[in-house]
Amino acid sequence: MGALAFEYPEEITATLGALDGFIRAEILTRHEKHADLLADSRRKYTPDGRFSPEVWEIIGEVRKASAEAGFYAMSVPEHLGGGGMGLLAYFAAWEYISRLCGPRHWLSYYIISHWAKGPSPVLAEASPRLRDEILPGIMNGDKTMCFALSEPEAGSDAAGIRTRAVQEGEGWRLTGGKIWISNSVHADYAIVFAVTDPDKAAARKGGISAFLIPTDAEGYTLESTIKMWGQSGTVEGQLKFENIRVEPHQLIGELDNGFKLAMLGVGLGRMYNSARAVGYSRWALNEAFEHIKLRKTFGKPISTNQGVTFPLAESAMQIHAAHLMAINVAQLLDRGQAASKELAMTKCFAADAAKQCVDRCIQAFGAMGFTNEMFLTDAYIAMRKITIADGSAEILRRLISKRMLDGDMAL
């Protein structure tokens, strides 16, 4: 018996069933086949933190197999060659992947194209020439991208970027730098946001444009990789641009109106992170409840102790609420409503609840919860990250309150 009165449409239900088969055939088998490699951080990563060539090849195999099976670009618009499924399907698929695989079978992270790293609606405004040049490799999983928006002095205040694209003939010269750019350590292309009209940008009335830059372009440098949480590996990098020549066809969307494109990407990220929050939390709760039924202290299962079960029950309530919120906002967005307030509420609530949920599950395991074999600390790190990624908890609360101050009191 399910916990929701809502039922996914038949198309989504069928997709989830097919996805289950793909995970078992392509993900679980690869983890089993390459268990020694994937468990050894010295072989998994290069000294600077990038995936080793062996591991990156396996990841590429997953992307390509998924593209062939129709999952990788399932929510990319049909006119770009994707499946055209909406955000409800996107949420449902990511939640299912996260719940079934957890962080233990992390190759599943590459089944569906992440909006910033592969094909997504963001590319809908690319020029015909640019689509012809990059889409085949992006759509089949052979090539990847990164989304270069954040800067050292422009994180939450994304409109305050300083990277510049100065007009030169029909094109531009791009100069500046970016930081915290996911997948920049491996990407073949970068969508770079730069100021093209300083006066408009200073007045917060546009003046920012988006360009697609090959990462092997002259003047493009991966300045450093950024390791976090004491981990050996990273997908985050710092980029430097020195007088890169940008041609007119590399502009994505309208000149001086790229910030709208940036917010489209961030919105997709909020939906994606809400799905991961619900999925990882359900995975962790399942692990915890199975454990507390078996673990005994003082001759009794620890499940008889309210001090153990009540915190888990509270998290279950919160994750159930987050699940309902996400399904609701996905449908609003699929209907064409802006729903920025509701999306901010969902992502903020889901991320906070997931972080606390995984922490409580670790507590239920005691010291065992800290071990690498349980992967609960991996889940915690992932959930802690998403309280900042694609809009921090503070920025989202600011957005919610601003919408309400402006008169949007619908709840």
Side-chain angles (χ1 to χ4, degrees):
M1 183 179 69
L4 306 182
F6 172 84
E7 293 184 2
Y8 285 121
E10 185 177 337
E11 181 186 24
I12 296 178
T13 302
T15 299
L16 297 181
L19 192 57
D20 184 278
F22 181 88
I23 289 170
R24 298 182 192 284
E26 301 289 348
I27 302 300
L28 303 188
T29 55
R30 279 185 170 84
H31 272 280
E32 183 177 356
K33 179 180 178 181
H34 302 289
D36 291 341
L37 170 63
L38 300 180
D40 186 347
S41 62
R42 292 168 297 182
R43 296 174 61 198
K44 185 177 176 181
Y45 303 111
T46 61
D48 68 356
R50 284 181 263 200
F51 285 119
S52 67
E54 291 174 283
V55 173
W56 188 241
E57 182 179 351
I58 295 168
I59 291 170
E61 290 173 1
V62 171
R63 290 197 309 267
K64 292 171 190 176
S66 182
E68 187 173 343
F71 299 117
Y72 190 59
M74 57 177 278
S75 292
V76 175
E78 288 182 288
H79 70 273
L80 294 180
M85 301 183 79
L87 286 172
L88 181 62
Y90 189 69
F91 169 82
W94 270 118
E95 190 276 331
Y96 187 80
I97 290 169
S98 302
R99 169 164 45 101
L100 181 62
C101 298
R104 180 176 283 112
H105 298 111
W106 58 267
L107 287 173
S108 61
Y109 180 73
Y110 296 92
I111 296 175
I112 299 174
S113 167
H114 183 282
W115 65 272
K117 302 170 187 176
S120 80
V122 171
L123 292 175
E125 297 191 47
S127 68
R129 177 178 169 182
L130 195 60
R131 291 187 201 176
D132 290 343
E133 289 181 359
I134 72 163
L135 273 182
I138 291 289
M139 293 293 288
N140 68 18
D142 187 48
K143 305 289 185 182
T144 67
M145 304 178 359
C146 63
F147 195 79
L149 177 61
S150 295
E151 298 183 2
E153 301 300 324
S156 295
D157 181 17
I161 62 173
R162 298 180 181 179
T163 296
R164 296 288 187 266
V166 178
Q167 191 89 36
E168 182 186 73
E170 294 184 354
W172 299 265
R173 287 286 177 179
L174 180 74
T175 302
K178 303 289 180 177
I179 197 169
W180 313 119
I181 308 304
S182 299
N183 199 50
S184 59
V185 300
H186 292 290
D188 299 286
Y189 306 103
I191 296 179
V192 179
F193 292 84
V195 173
T196 44
D197 187 323
D199 292 335
K200 286 183 181 179
R204 303 297 173 109
K205 295 182 178 180
I208 294 173
S209 302
F211 303 95
L212 189 130
I213 310 295
T215 58
D216 61 359
E218 185 177 354
Y220 183 108
T221 306
L222 174 63
E223 198 165 32
S224 66
T225 58
I226 306 171
K227 297 181 183 180
M228 297 184 285
W229 294 95
Q231 295 181 319
S232 301
T234 184
V235 296
E236 310 293 331
Q238 183 166 0
L239 304 175
K240 186 177 181 181
F241 315 126
E242 295 182 284
N243 205 33
I244 299 175
R245 173 66 187 178
V246 183
E247 301 298 339
H249 74 275
Q250 293 174 255
L251 175 69
I252 301 180
E254 300 175 3
L255 185 67
D256 296 331
N257 201 24
F259 195 68
K260 180 177 71 173
L261 195 67
M263 292 302 100
L264 168 63
V266 169
L268 292 170
R270 290 172 185 171
M271 196 77 254
Y272 157 78
N273 280 316
S274 297
R276 290 186 73 212
V278 173
Y280 266 29
S281 296
R282 294 180 71 185
W283 169 84
L285 283 168
N286 184 69
E287 297 282 311
F289 272 96
E290 288 300 312
H291 172 72
I292 65 173
K293 287 186 287 187
L294 299 174
R295 170 69 168 145
K296 291 183 178 181
T297 58
F298 306 105
K300 295 181 180 179
I302 60 174
S303 58
T304 60
N305 299 318
Q306 293 176 348
V308 173
T309 57
F310 279 18
L312 297 179
E314 185 173 352
S315 279
M317 292 187 287
Q318 292 169 345
I319 298 307
H320 183 61
H323 197 176
L324 293 170
M325 291 171 72
I327 287 174
N328 177 68
V329 75
Q331 292 179 94
L332 293 178
L333 292 166
D334 280 346
R335 291 172 189 168
Q337 294 181 225
S340 60
K341 170 171 63 64
E342 291 73 22
L343 183 56
M345 287 177 170
T346 301
K347 192 267 183 179
C348 187
F349 182 83
D352 282 350
K355 179 187 68 174
Q356 187 177 49
C357 175
V358 176
D359 185 64
R360 285 169 167 165
C361 291
I362 291 172
Q363 190 72 15
F365 273 91
M368 182 64 72
F370 299 139
T371 62
N372 293 348
E373 290 80 2
M374 294 306 303
F375 288 89
L376 284 163
T377 53
D378 296 80
Y380 181 81
I381 289 170
M383 295 302 96
R384 186 64 183 87
K385 285 179 180 177
I386 68 170
T387 64
I388 294 176
D390 299 316
S392 68
E394 294 78 15
I395 287 295
L396 294 176
R397 286 179 169 86
R398 180 174 179 266
L399 186 156
I400 294 163
S401 58
K402 184 177 186 303
R403 291 288 186 272
M404 297 183 78
L405 287 168
D406 289 342
D408 181 1
M409 297 299 295
L411 295 172

